C-alpha cells in the first residue's frame, strides 16, 4: 500500500509543482513586488519578532545577513538544532540566573541535537526571551527551514507563531533546477568537510572553481528526487502563507532581480529603518550563468529530464 501511495504521489507531484510555479508567475506579473501583509496588530511592547521561513539554497543567508547589518535588528541566523541554539542563548542572555531563562535551558536537557520536534518550542521561547530586556532593538528573529520541524509539526508551529504575534517572512525559490545544483554543491562541501563556503572566496577563486575541469556530473535521479522534495516543501510554504496571521511573501527570483526594492519591503514589514544597501554585505551570487555552465553533463541530463513528467517545468526553469 505504501508503495502504491508513493507511486501515486510521485505521479502527481510534477502537476502540483507546475500549478505552484505558474501560480507564482501569474502573481509576479500582477505585481512587481510580491508582498502580502495582514491586518494583525503587533504588540507595542518590545521589538518586533520575525522568522524567515524557507528552504535551503533560497537566498536566506543573503536576506538574513542584510537584516543583520541594521544596528537595531538582531538575528540568531539559522535554527540548526539544540546545541547551536543553546550556545547562542547562553551568549546572548544577560542574566543566566534569570529564573525563566534557567527553566528554558533546563527544558532542553536530554533532547537530541537534531530532535526538532522536541526543541523548536523551548528554543523559540529562549530566543525571544531576550526581547523583554532589549528595548533598543527594533526587531529580533531568525531563519527556519521547512525540514527543521515545520513540516512535522505544522499546526503547532502555525498556532505558536500566530499566538505570539511573530511575523512570518516566506522566502520561496521557484526554480528547483538551479536550486538542486546549488544544494548539490552544499552537500559536496559538507561531505569533504569544507568550512569555507564558495562565496567567501576571492573572485579569482570563484572563477577557477567553475572551470570545466571542476564542474560536477550529476545523475538525473538526483534531480528527480530533489524535484519531489521541492514540491512537497513548497506546498508547506504555501500553507504557511495562507494560515499565518502576519505574513510577507518574497520570491527569490524577484529578490535577485530587484534586491533593493524587495529589501525595503522586508525592512518595512519588520519595522527596521531603511539604511542598508544590498552592496554592504559583500556577498556575491555563486551559481551565475546558464545551467550548462554549471554542469559538465548537462546536455545528457537535460534530455532525460525533458522526457520525464517534469519536462515542461525543466524547460521553463532552464530558460
Amino acid at each position: 500500500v505504501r508503495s502504491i501511495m508513493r507511486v501515486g504521489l510521485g505521479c502527481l507531484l510534477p502537476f502540483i509543482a507546475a500549478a505552484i510555479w505558474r501560480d507564482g508567475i501569474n502573481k509576479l506579473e500582477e505585481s512587481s513586488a510580491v508582498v502580502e501583509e495582514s491586518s494583525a496588530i503587533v504588540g507595542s511592547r518590545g521589538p518586533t519578532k520575525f522568522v524567515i521561513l524557507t528552504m535551503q539554497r533560497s537566498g536566506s543567508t543573503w536576506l538574513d545577513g542584510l537584516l543583520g547589518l541594521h544596528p537595531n535588528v538582531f538575528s540568531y541566523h539559522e535554527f540548526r538544532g539544540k546545541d547551536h541554539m543553546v550556545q547562542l542563548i547562553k551568549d546572548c542572555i544577560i542574566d543566566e540566573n534569570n529564573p525563566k531563562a534557567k527553566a528554558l535551558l533546563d527544558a532542553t536537557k536530554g533532547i537530541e541535537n537534531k530532535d526538532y520536534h522536541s526543541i523548536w518550542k523551548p528554543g523559540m521561547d529562549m530566543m525571544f526571551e531576550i526581547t523583554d530586556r532589549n528595548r533598543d532593538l527594533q526587531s529580533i528573529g531568525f531563519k527556519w527551514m521547512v525540514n527543521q520541524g515545520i513540516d512535522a509539526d505544522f499546526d503547532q508551529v502555525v498556532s505558536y507563531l500566530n499566538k505570539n504575534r511573530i511575523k512570518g517572512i516566506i522566502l520561496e525559490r521557484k526554480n528547483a533546477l538551479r536550486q538542486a545544483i546549488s544544494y548539490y554543491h552544499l552537500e559536496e562541501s559538507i561531505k569533504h568537510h569544507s568550512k569555507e563556503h564558495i562565496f567567501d572566496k576571492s573572485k579569482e577563486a570563484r572563477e577557477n572553481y567553475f572551470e570545466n575541469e571542476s564542474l560536477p556530473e550529476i545523475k538525473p535521479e538526483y534531480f528527480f528526487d530533489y524535484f519531489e522534495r521541492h514540491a512537497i516543501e513548497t506546498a508547506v510554504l504555501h500553507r504557511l502563507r495562507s494560515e499565518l496571521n502576519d505574513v510577507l511573501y518574497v520570491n527569490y527570483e524577484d529578490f535577485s532581480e530587484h534586491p533593493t526594492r524587495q529589501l525595503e519591503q522586508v525592512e518595512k514589514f519588520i519595522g527596521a529603518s531603511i539604511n542598508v544597501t544590498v552592496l554592504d554585505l559583500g556577498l556575491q551570487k555563486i551559481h551565475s550563468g546558464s545551467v550548462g555552465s554549471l554542469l559538465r553533463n548537462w546536455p545528457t541530463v537535460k534530455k532525460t529530464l525533458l522526457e520525464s513528467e517534469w519536462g515542461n517545468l525543466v524547460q521553463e526553469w532552464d530558460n
Side-chain angles (χ1 to χ4, degrees), residues 181-182 184-186 188-189 194 196-198 201-216 286-287 293-294:
I181 296 172
S182 181
Y184 177 87
H185 281 279
L186 174 66
E188 288 298 300
S189 66
S194 172
E196 183 181 22
H197 197 289
I198 188 68
K201 297 179 184 291
S202 66
K203 180 179 179 182
E204 181 180 358
R206 281 194 298 272
E207 291 174 349
N208 292 337
Y209 183 85
F210 288 109
E211 287 182 353
N212 287 333
E213 61 267 28
S214 300
L215 295 180
I286 307 169
H287 303 102
S293 68
L294 304 174

Side-chain angles (χ1 to χ4, degrees), residues 1-281:
V1 173
R2 290 179 179 173
S3 298
I4 293 173
M5 291 177 66
R6 176 174 173 78
V7 172
L9 179 61
C11 293
L12 289 173
L13 283 175
F15 300 101
I16 296 172
I20 291 172
W21 167 259
R22 294 193 177 93
D23 176 65
I25 293 299
N26 291 336
K27 286 183 172 61
L28 284 173
E29 290 175 348
E30 293 170 5
S31 172
S32 57
V34 188
V35 174
E36 288 183 0
E37 295 186 50
S38 76
S39 59
I41 300 175
V42 178
S44 58
R45 184 181 177 220
T48 298
K49 304 172 186 178
F50 71 90
V51 56
I52 300 171
L53 304 159
T54 187
M55 292 183 276
Q56 282 89 351
R57 321 314 291 164
S58 297
S60 60
T61 297
W62 186 24
L63 176 57
D64 180 70
L66 287 169
L67 295 179
L69 291 176
H70 290 78
N72 294 323
V73 176
F74 181 82
S75 173
Y76 287 98
H77 308 303
E78 186 174 341
F79 181 57
R80 295 182 182 276
K82 188 194 78 170
D83 295 345
H84 180 250
M85 179 271 300
V86 169
Q87 188 57 53
L88 283 173
I89 296 300
K90 288 182 176 179
D91 291 343
C92 296
I93 287 180
I94 298 172
D95 182 9
E96 289 192 29
N97 293 318
N98 179 299
K100 184 175 181 181
K102 289 188 68 174
L104 290 169
L105 286 170
D106 289 342
T108 66
K109 293 179 179 178
I111 297 176
E112 295 293 327
N113 184 40
K114 296 298 182 180
D115 182 3
Y116 294 111
H117 171 74
S118 301
I119 196 62
W120 72 262
K121 187 178 182 301
M124 274 208 263
D125 287 342
M126 278 194 286
M127 283 189 278
F128 291 124
E129 165 71 11
I130 194 174
T131 61
D132 291 336
R133 287 169 281 107
N134 287 266
R135 301 294 179 180
D136 293 336
L137 288 176
Q138 294 173 324
S139 309
I140 183 169
F142 66 102
K143 61 178 183 174
W144 195 3
M145 305 297 166
V146 168
N147 63 354
Q148 293 173 336
I150 299 177
D151 50 355
D153 293 339
F154 182 86
D155 291 337
Q156 296 94 318
V157 169
V158 169
S159 176
Y160 184 94
L161 295 179
N162 286 339
K163 180 180 178 180
N164 291 279
R165 295 178 176 178
I166 300 172
K167 290 173 172 278
I169 302 171
I170 307 293
L171 178 58
E172 177 188 357
R173 185 173 188 174
K174 292 184 175 296
N175 194 321
L177 176 63
R178 300 186 70 89
Q179 188 181 48
I181 296 172
S182 181
Y183 192 78
Y184 177 87
H185 281 279
L186 174 66
E187 287 184 317
E188 288 298 300
S189 66
I190 294 174
K191 186 186 303 181
H192 294 93
H193 308 289
S194 172
K195 295 183 179 180
E196 183 181 22
H197 197 289
I198 188 68
F199 62 49
D200 293 325
K201 297 179 184 291
S202 66
K203 180 179 179 182
E204 181 180 358
R206 281 194 298 272
E207 291 174 349
N208 292 337
Y209 183 85
F210 288 109
E211 287 182 353
N212 287 333
E213 61 267 28
S214 300
L215 295 180
E217 291 188 2
I218 306 177
K219 295 181 179 180
E221 290 75 18
Y222 178 89
F223 289 100
F224 292 141
D225 290 342
Y226 192 89
F227 293 163
E228 288 190 11
R229 184 175 65 185
H230 179 273
I232 292 171
E233 294 189 5
T234 296
V236 174
L237 288 178
H238 283 221
R239 285 188 63 195
L240 287 168
R241 183 181 179 185
S242 65
E243 297 187 29
L244 290 178
N245 290 341
D246 209 1
V247 63
L248 178 143
Y249 175 79
V250 179
N251 174 266
Y252 167 84
E253 285 79 9
D254 199 41
F255 185 34
S256 296
E257 187 174 355
H258 307 287
T260 300
R261 183 171 64 197
Q262 287 294 295
L263 177 60
E264 289 179 356
Q265 294 282 355
V266 175
E267 290 170 325
K268 178 181 178 182
F269 182 68
I270 66 173
S273 56
I274 301 176
N275 60 357
V276 169
T277 70
V278 295
L279 298 178
D280 291 339
L281 193 59

